Amino acid sequence: MNKINRLLLGGVLLFCTLPIMSKAYYLCYCAGVENGQKENLGSRIPKRSLYVDYTNYVLTIPDQLLGYTLTVTDEKGDVFSCFVTSNVISLPSNFVGDLEILFTSGNHTFKGIIDAK
């Protein structure tokens, strides 16, 4: 391949990824608190934060969150909740603004804020 073909191919690959434009949001892990005491999780190493993608009311999550319960609260206080069985979740289109998302399973919780403007 000559230099021009490589340059064109690189430009096409770059251009093809631009329409996706999904935003990555990081979720922080929160240890369970019961009766004012944190539970012993068996490890002193903090859990790694996870990230989710949000584009056009569609939330794409990693496999680690399958089996968790998702709770989304918008600025007006409206709540959307579901049991996560798929990596792709469609959120209601009337949820706009800063959305607080919570993934919970037992005493394990991941939470974050998504800008859905």
Side-chain angles (χ1 to χ4, degrees), residues 5-24:
N5 285 344
R6 288 183 196 168
L7 182 63
L8 288 174
L9 181 61
V12 167
L13 290 175
L14 177 65
F15 181 72
C16 288
T17 59
L18 288 178
I20 295 173
M21 300 303 259
S22 65
K23 291 184 180 179

Side-chain angles (χ1 to χ4, degrees), residues 59 70-74 77-82 89 91-92 95 99-103 114:
L59 189 63
L70 167 66
T71 305
V72 181
T73 307
D74 71 354
D78 295 332
V79 177
F80 170 80
S81 184
C82 70
I89 302 163
L91 298 181
F95 277 35
L99 306 179
E100 180 181 324
I101 63 171
L102 237 61
F103 287 94
I114 291 178

Side-chain angles (χ1 to χ4, degrees), residues 46-88:
K47 289 213 181 233
R48 189 178 77 171
S49 60
L50 298 176
Y51 76 93
V52 297
D53 288 331
Y54 181 75
T55 306
N56 296 333
Y57 306 108
V58 175
L59 189 63
T60 306
I61 63 170
D63 289 335
Q64 291 113 321
L65 296 176
L66 294 178
Y68 278 64
T69 300
L70 167 66
T71 305
V72 181
T73 307
D74 71 354
E75 291 177 341
K76 295 181 280 184
D78 295 332
V79 177
F80 170 80
S81 184
C82 70
F83 184 74
V84 179
T85 58
S86 172
N87 293 67
V88 179

Side-chain angles (χ1 to χ4, degrees), residues 25 35 79 96:
Y25 293 94
N35 297 330
V79 177
V96 292

